[in-house]
Amino acid sequence: MAAKKKKIKASGRFGAGYGTRVRKKLNAVESLQRKKQKCPFCTKSGVKRQAVGIWNCEKCGKTFASKAYSINP
Ligand SMILES: [Zn+2]
């Protein structure tokens, strides 16, 4: 019999020891994080995170503050 694959997304790399609630929260954060972030100034997706909450657009060169792991739409 084939092993049953669990659908646990990004948090699958952690075992059960972290608890189900924190792993669910991590899935929400990381799925956003992996999407291309759009620059609020030039609407192009070339934005990179410099530090927690600090973002820099490669296209227009602007540095701005936003959420820690993603940019507010
Ligand atoms: Zn930009």
Side-chain angles (χ1 to χ4, degrees), residues 39-60:
C39 173
F41 298 101
C42 62
T43 65
K44 279 171 188 158
S45 55
V47 185
K48 292 212 163 156
R49 200 182 80 141
Q50 288 193 327
V52 179
I54 299 167
W55 296 80
N56 181 44
C57 176
E58 290 177 323
K59 301 276 171 13
C60 62

Side-chain angles (χ1 to χ4, degrees), residues 5-63:
K5 265 196 176 176
K6 285 181 192 171
K7 290 172 186 171
I8 40 183
K9 293 177 186 172
S11 67
R13 67 181 187 269
F14 300 116
Y18 290 87
T20 180
R21 290 190 73 176
V22 282
R23 281 184 287 142
K24 266 189 182 170
K25 280 179 186 174
L26 181 115
N27 274 339
V29 167
E30 288 210 335
S31 64
L32 253 180
Q33 203 172 24
R34 273 155 213 220
K35 280 177 193 160
K36 291 250 172 177
Q37 309 290 340
K38 266 186 187 173
C39 173
F41 298 101
C42 62
T43 65
K44 279 171 188 158
S45 55
V47 185
K48 292 212 163 156
R49 200 182 80 141
Q50 288 193 327
V52 179
I54 299 167
W55 296 80
N56 181 44
C57 176
E58 290 177 323
K59 301 276 171 13
C60 62
K62 275 184 175 136
T63 306

